[in-house]
Amino acid sequence: MAQPRYTRIDNRRPSSNYCSTVTVVVFVALCLVGIWMMTSSSVGPAQNVDEVSLDNKDGIKKQMTTPAEEGNGQKFEDASGDTPNEDKKGDGDASKQDNQEEKKEEKPKEESTPSGETIETEAGEDKKDDSKSENGGGGDLEEKKDLKDNPDEENPDTNEKQTKPETEDNESGEDGENQKQFESDNSEKKSSDDDKETKTGNEDTETKTEKENTETNVDVQVEQEGQPKNETSGDLSPPGAQLELLNETTAQNGSFSTQATESKNEKEAQKGSGDKLDYKWALCNTTAGPDYIPCLDNVQAIKSLPSTKHYEHRERHCPDSPPTCLVPLPEGYKRPIEWPKSREKIWYTNVPHTKLAEYKGHQNWVKVTGEYLTFPGGGTQFKHGALHYIDFIQESVPAIAWGKRSRVVLDVGCGVASFGGFLFDRDVITMSLAPKDEHEAQVQFALERGIPAISAVMGTTRLPFPGRVFDIVHCARCRVPWHIEGGKLLLELNRVLRPGGFFVWSATPVYQKKTEDVEIWKAMSELIKKMCWELVSINKDTINGVGVATYRKPTSNECYTSRSEPQPPICAESDDPNASWKVPLQACMHTAPEDKTQRGSQWPEQWPARLEKPPFWLSSSQTGVYGKAAPEDFSADYEHWNRVVTKSYLKGLGINWASVRNVMDMRAVYGGFAAALKEMKVWVMNVVPIDSPDTLAIIYERGLFGIYHDWCESFSTYPRSYDLLHADHLFSKLKQRCNLTAVIAEVDRVLRPEGKLIVRDDAETIQQVEAMVKAMKWEVRMTYSKEKEGLLSVQKSFWRPNEVETLTYAIG
């Protein structure tokens, strides 16, 4: 320690040797006393700092506060850190650290704790309540201990804030960016400190040691108060709104990173930001305009069809190269009305079509009411309301048991899907389908109302569902010629209907006596008898004036083998009933499973028990998608998504779930994501890509629904159909065989303005997707990465490009 020099203030020379001697003695004595005092005053605190540095390996806790609501900026607050000893508590408050640096010139003074320990405080530091309020920590150690034991008292808003969503400020909240910002701030402070006057040796050492330990601990870990960390390394699910950042694994460089690391991180961050990735988007120019569905509006392909006898013109005809342009918005498009009000009315400007109202208004399908399109809840067969009709069906056949035995329904020729819309009140989900035909925009009406529906037709190929999955198939005046060509279309329903399931047919042949109706009834009766379906009930609804016939599919093969004529024929053993992607229809029947361990040999458990339990036919000898035994794999997937949804999606992604109704899981495995949302007022379309493990039957078995699809092609839905899309490790697989730009253009087409996209994928793919959506002016709500894996949450904007791209094959 350098000895200080003292000189006379008046600069006068001593008058005698005696005075010089006395001066020297006094000078030496004063030096010794000063050295002793300074040494004794620095021992205690220095030892405490070293102790924290060595023992506090878990670092301090830092609390991330979420904004009050969407659109607000995010603020970060440091909560008080924990020291190894319960009676000592370090201060992890960022504002107090700043104050300590600003007060370096003030001489420290000593203060005793209630336990008798000596601690150092800043000279002149105010111990009043306003100091605690300013710095976020108390002035007295005992008070700090109490706050540690009762964190809610320290920050009474903590619990409330944890339940509020994050906003776009999370865009800059990635691990690397936080680290760089922290280092940048510290560099600025260090430069400022170098300009200050040099302090005494012990004081500098003490402050520097404390600062280095605080910096190191902050870099090491940011952990949520009161929330456990994720135990699975691949589980990118920040608990609530608080993200667990990467743990520091290299300590050789202390709290300082190398220039090579800093430069590498910066280059990667710039690459990830998309600033140097040039994505330019154009507006699609097509005849369909704002309602463009690429695989259903391929005018060129439809014109070249040799025949339309079997509704080939309503089937999928995808362009050779999927479009990479964006579909325009209807003029005056507004944020959709939220569920459940949307079931009764929607904005006219969002679906500006009136032909259906003119054609079907008298049947209470849809009406134009001012700026709204309203839906009285009726249909062709239930003009006086869907709920009465639904209850009438169960009264006719009590075994149907809506919402218990019968959970998943297929509604063919659904119209505006009021039947499926009101089945929600009976805890039933309905896959409604109808073609894009002269009943203008009927499926679009359904989706705008918040009711599940797809654009599809029973034509020449199988429906994109597995075999034996629907509990009930319903047809209310669906205009499908079931009896023609050997009953090929009705046999397709037989394929997808579960053994023991019901076919509910409400059509004029059931109750009218016109010549055509009588002929159809006769042909249908003969066909159904040959198919071994049992006519369970035929009743007349006096209020609606319609008749309903209900049939039951057999659960055994006894009837099939005892038929006098093998017509319709039994399908070949090699015919897989689950194969349905672009597979031609066949006029044959698949037999019922005889092995009691096979799917379809038993009815699933009643809802909701079937949601959580592994299906009985999943065997421990089977290997699941993630490598475990199939039943264990199923349960692990459900637990995983419950944890992710509860701790991250519902609180930490800046999503207002009250505005979410139509959800799509673009790569569903076991349907765990949809199952985790069971308490939300949403429905989830579970998509199993054709190149993924075929687990769609498992999804249906647990009381959910879904569809097969190839994401290199467009989905069979109208633009602006979904509020939220979820893609778990999908895009990284797709870009190996598809044009990723076209896939993102399809995501934009399907998603509503202000809709959300959640992507979980490898970091490289996350960077690509982020760059693409930024070029579309989407709002990045949150990005997060850990061990080369990433999570991205973005919100679509209303922006549309000015440049136009004409798709000649889609021009009529």
Side-chain angles (χ1 to χ4, degrees), residues 109-125:
K109 64 181 180 179
E110 296 177 3
E111 203 174 67
S112 295
T113 68
S115 60
E117 294 180 31
T118 300
I119 62 171
E120 180 185 49
T121 62
E122 299 294 340
E125 184 178 74

Side-chain angles (χ1 to χ4, degrees), residues 261-334:
T261 301
E262 292 172 353
S263 299
K264 179 182 178 182
N265 290 342
E266 177 60 26
K267 285 184 284 187
E268 289 180 352
Q270 290 182 4
K271 179 181 178 182
S273 68
D275 293 341
K276 297 184 178 181
L277 297 176
D278 188 17
Y279 291 100
K280 294 183 179 180
W281 299 97
L283 206 63
C284 297
N285 178 25
T286 65
T287 299
D291 298 334
Y292 177 53
I293 305 175
C295 291
L296 297 181
D297 291 318
N298 190 341
V299 178
Q300 192 176 75
I302 292 172
K303 285 182 177 179
S304 63
L305 290 173
S307 171
T308 59
K309 179 182 178 181
H310 297 98
Y311 301 94
E312 290 91 343
H313 57 302
R314 306 299 183 195
E315 294 183 319
R316 291 172 58 85
H317 302 283
C318 300
D320 295 333
S321 297
T324 56
C325 51
L326 308 182
V327 175
L329 298 177
E331 185 177 353
Y333 182 86
K334 302 178 182 180

Side-chain angles (χ1 to χ4, degrees), residues 718-736:
Y718 281 84
R720 305 169 301 280
S721 296
Y722 287 84
D723 301 302
L724 186 145
L725 301 183
H726 182 256
D728 179 30
H729 290 84
L730 171 68
F731 298 139
S732 57
K733 300 179 186 299
L734 285 178
K735 68 182 183 181
Q736 299 174 14

Side-chain angles (χ1 to χ4, degrees), residues 19 301 344 360 756:
C19 292
E344 321 300 333
K360 292 289 187 180
K756 314 300 189 298

Side-chain angles (χ1 to χ4, degrees), residues 410 412 431-433 454 456 462-470 492 495-496 577-581 685 694 696-697 700 705-708:
L410 174 65
V412 180
M431 177 74 75
S432 301
L433 65 86
I454 60 170
R462 290 179 175 178
L463 296 173
F465 313 121
R468 305 190 297 264
V469 292
F470 287 101
E492 173 61 3
R495 181 185 72 85
V496 300
N578 298 317
S580 59
W581 183 250
M685 179 67 73
D694 186 0
L696 189 52
Y700 275 91
F705 62 19
I707 191 171
Y708 295 117

Side-chain angles (χ1 to χ4, degrees), residues 333 335-339 447-448 450 655-664 681-683 720-725 750-757 794-796:
Y333 182 86
R335 176 186 296 178
I337 297 172
E338 295 180 1
W339 181 268
L447 290 162
E448 186 72 13
I655 296 174
N656 174 20
W657 285 89
S659 65
V660 176
R661 172 62 181 174
N662 303 356
V663 178
M664 178 186 289
K681 299 297 182 182
V682 304
W683 58 267
R720 305 169 301 280
S721 296
Y722 287 84
D723 301 302
L724 186 145
L725 301 183
V750 171
L751 198 60
R752 291 169 171 171
E754 295 187 341
K756 314 300 189 298
L757 169 66
V794 291
Q795 177 175 289
K796 178 180 173 179

Side-chain angles (χ1 to χ4, degrees), residues 89 96 173 240 304 422 466 486 502 506 510 563 653 663 667 672 736 740 748 753 787 793:
K89 189 170 184 180
K96 182 163 185 175
S304 63
F422 282 92
F502 295 100
S506 173
V510 176
R563 293 181 301 168
L653 299 187
V663 178
R667 181 181 170 266
Q736 299 174 14
L740 186 58
D748 177 87
E787 298 176 359
S793 175

